[in-house]
Structure formats: structure tokens, C-alpha cells
Amino acid sequence: MRVLYLLNISNPDRLSADSGWIFADLLAPALADASAEVTVAAPAAAGDARCGFHQTKVPGTKYRARFSADIDELVALIRAEKPDAVVANQIEEAPAIRTALLEAGSDALLAGYCHYLPFSFSGGGQLLLDPSLNDLGMGRPVLLAFAAGLAACDRVMVHSSTAASWLSAAAARMTVDLGDRLRVVPAPRDERLVRDPVTVHRRQGAAAIGVYNHRLYAHYGTAKFVHLARDLVASGAVHLRVMDLFGQRRAARTGLDGSPERMRDQLAALPHVRVVSDRGDRVRYRNLLADARFGIAPFRPGCPWSMSVIDCQGMGLPVIAPRLGWLSEHIDPELCFTTPAEAVALAERLAADDEFHALHAKRAHASTADFAPSLVAARYLEALS
């Protein structure tokens, strides 16, 4: 099978902070191992030497990524690659890709991967626009473009059962009939971030480290984490390590949303909280996870998946999480919390109770087994068949 993978990259200066790029970089070689011919069209190459690469422009902003598809370029690319399947990692681009397939005379299957959902649901079932895509009222146009993308696809892939449920509900409200086109295909884990927890030994005499390795956008619920961080470190039994995954961002990105920089400064000002950077180095990133005791999930309401959670779990770090979204589906119920007091109790128990920690380290590690790249690639190709 010849696969043309169309990938938007929002932060080419720090690829390690772009989960879509990491997904493609892990998946493309696994697809090649399964005898697929893969070409990635993106601002930066992904995969290995067996994978083709067509360089595209950096879209500049998250809105240009959704509304500025170059149909002439797509037609030329499709004619050159002659794919059996085209994967749109930006669902909103699917109508333009369908137009290009028509003009190129291609009968390739068009699959959309819902890497990001531009909506969430309230506890009462109300559909809510994603605030990160709602500058100057852009939320509804993005949502409608997303619905148009769903309608244009032959296959629609999502990360999780939770995402499938949300997507089905949203599509029905927007009168898009998904029929039998929906598939659940999780993202692959990074095998460089996999460690048997049995080999890990507790550091004696040091405070336990809780790691927060998520992007610091406000829409990730980071303000809630800032408040929780104060409670987590109050007793001194737990110290926090917060990842600054972005580093210095381009002006076009900070101009739209400067919340990561603000949140980073607020966290850095707290006692027993250390903000660190992996400098875009996966080895350094692994080392920053390696001596932590547990991870902390984000408070993002519309969280259909979290690669950062999987990174921690693959390393044998139990992850405590607010009881919402995909987190409730995936994380052990014993580690989910509703109130800050419950979160503090869980963190301090993981810090002090070796038996409890060992049990949940083993469960965390095991929960990622089905996300090995070879297994995900097989599911991916099955979805494209």
C-alpha cells in the first residue's frame, strides 16, 4: 500500500513539543516495517530513510493550518505519489484534499485522523467550543470546517473510545452521518521511553518528584494545575518538576496565545517547583522522567488522548489524574481524583507507600503495551484497507 501522509507541524523549531510530528515519526517506520510505502508531506521530515518526504510550508498559525490548503500543490503531489491512501492529519483540510483527488483523477482512499477535537462536552452534554480555537469568534467556523472534513473522509480515525463517543455525538448534531467509517487507532508509544518498573529503585532521603510534562496552554487547564501545585508541595514530601516543552516560541504563536509563558512564570515562582527544559532532546527528556516518582495528568476538559501521559506510564510512572475525558477511560480508577485534597493524598501515598507505588507502576507500564508501534501500524493499515 502506498500511503501519502499529510502532516501539519505548528512548531518546527521544537519538534519534540509537537505530538503530531512525534506520532508520524514513530508510525511511519512501523508502517514501512509492515511493507507500506510511506511519503510524509510536512514542514519537517518524519520517519526514517525508507520514508519519502515532501517539504511543505509552515502554516504560520493554527488557523492557516485549517484554512489555507494549496490545492495546486496537493494535485501535483497526488499525481507524483500515486497513493492508495491519503491521510489528513488536519481534518479541516479534507475537503481540499478531496477536491485535489478529484482533479488528479485519483481513487485513493481519504482518511482523516482526528488528532485534535475542536470541541468538548459539558457534564450536562452541552457541546462547547474549544477556547484555543475561538479567537475573534473563530470557534464556530473551525467546528463547521471540521464537520465538512468528516463528511469528506472515507475513514475517520480517533485515538480512543472516549474520542469516538464524543465525535459520534458531535457529528450527529451537525448532521454528518459517519456510518461505518469511524475507527479507533491509538497513537504509538515511544519505545525509547519504555522501562520495566521492576528495575527502578526509590531514591532514599530525597523528596519524591512529581512530573508535569504537558504543554502549558491555558486551555489545558494549567491554571488549575498551578493551584494544585501549591497544595502538592505544601508538606514538603513532594517536589514538582514542570516541563517547559516549548522553549522560545515564534512571535506569530505567542501573539495568538501567550498563556504558556505566563503559566511557566507562575509555576517557576512556587517553592519546591522546578521548571526544566528538555531542550528538544529525547534522551534528556527520558532522563527527566526517569528519576521522578509519579506523573500528573492535565486538566484539559476535551482530552481525547495524552502522549505525555503515555510517556510517563511507559517509563513505569503511575499518573494521577482528574476524573474527566479519556483520562477516566485509561487511568486506573484508584489514581483518579475529584478534589485537590484527593490529589494530595494520592501524591503523598505514591511518595511514601512503596507497595502501593510498585503496584501502580506495574499497571501503568502494562497499560501501554497495546501502543507498541508495530501493533498500532497494523491497526492503522487495517483502518486504511
Side-chain angles (χ1 to χ4, degrees), residues 52 140 202 208:
R140 189 157 296 281
R202 180 181 178 185

Side-chain angles (χ1 to χ4, degrees), residues 236-381:
V238 170
H239 289 188
L240 297 181
R241 178 175 293 160
V242 175
M243 299 284 196
D244 174 19
L245 298 174
F246 284 138
Q248 188 69 32
R249 295 191 302 153
R250 291 178 289 114
R253 302 195 72 206
T254 57
L256 278 177
D257 185 352
S259 62
E261 288 74 18
R262 293 195 304 273
M263 299 295 176
R264 180 183 62 198
D265 292 345
Q266 290 177 29
L267 287 161
L270 297 177
H272 304 311
V273 175
R274 184 178 171 219
V275 177
V276 298
S277 172
D278 65 3
R279 303 175 195 147
D281 183 340
R282 294 300 272 181
V283 173
R284 177 173 168 78
Y285 177 64
R286 186 187 194 281
N287 291 337
L288 288 169
L289 296 180
D291 65 347
R293 182 75 168 171
F294 63 93
I296 305 165
F299 286 78
R300 180 180 164 197
C303 186
W305 186 261
S306 171
M307 189 169 284
S308 295
V309 166
I310 302 302
D311 291 345
C312 286
Q313 292 179 319
M315 291 287 288
L317 301 184
V319 177
I320 64 172
R323 194 173 280 106
L324 51 79
W326 165 77
L327 301 170
S328 293
E329 171 192 335
H330 177 71
I331 291 179
D332 193 300
E334 281 193 296
L335 296 183
C336 291
F337 59 83
T338 302
T339 67
E342 291 173 354
V344 171
L346 282 171
E348 294 187 348
R349 186 174 180 189
L350 287 170
D353 187 334
D354 288 340
E355 184 177 351
F356 182 73
H357 182 275
L359 169 67
H360 284 287
K362 182 178 180 180
R363 289 179 180 175
H365 181 264
S367 73
T368 71
D370 289 343
F371 308 145
S374 61
L375 299 178
V376 172
R379 294 176 67 169
Y380 210 94
L381 291 174

Side-chain angles (χ1 to χ4, degrees), residues 162-242:
T162 297
S165 175
W166 289 347
L167 188 66
S168 296
R173 295 187 189 197
M174 295 182 285
T175 68
V176 176
D177 182 9
L178 293 176
D180 63 352
R181 294 179 289 144
L182 186 60
R183 304 287 189 276
V184 175
V185 182
R189 72 182 183 183
D190 189 337
E191 295 298 303
R192 295 166 295 184
L193 303 175
V194 177
R195 177 185 65 172
D196 187 342
V198 173
T199 66
V200 180
H201 302 287
R202 180 181 178 185
R203 296 191 311 161
Q204 297 298 320
I209 296 174
V211 66
Y212 187 84
N213 57 331
H214 310 282
R215 295 183 286 183
L216 299 177
Y217 289 121
H219 67 274
Y220 270 60
T222 313
K224 290 185 178 180
F225 172 66
V226 173
H227 289 294
L228 177 61
R230 296 189 179 97
D231 295 334
L232 289 174
V233 302
S235 71
V238 170
H239 289 188
L240 297 181
R241 178 175 293 160
V242 175

Side-chain angles (χ1 to χ4, degrees), residues 61-63 66-67 90 92 116-119 129-143 146 219 256-257 300:
T61 71
K62 52 195 169 186
Y63 297 109
R66 289 162 168 82
F67 297 113
Q90 193 74 61
E92 294 89 344
Y116 192 99
L117 300 180
F119 59 85
L129 298 176
D130 186 330
S132 75
L133 291 167
N134 199 23
D135 300 281
L136 294 180
M138 287 292 291
R140 189 157 296 281
V142 168
L143 181 62
F146 185 86
H219 67 274
L256 278 177
D257 185 352
R300 180 180 164 197

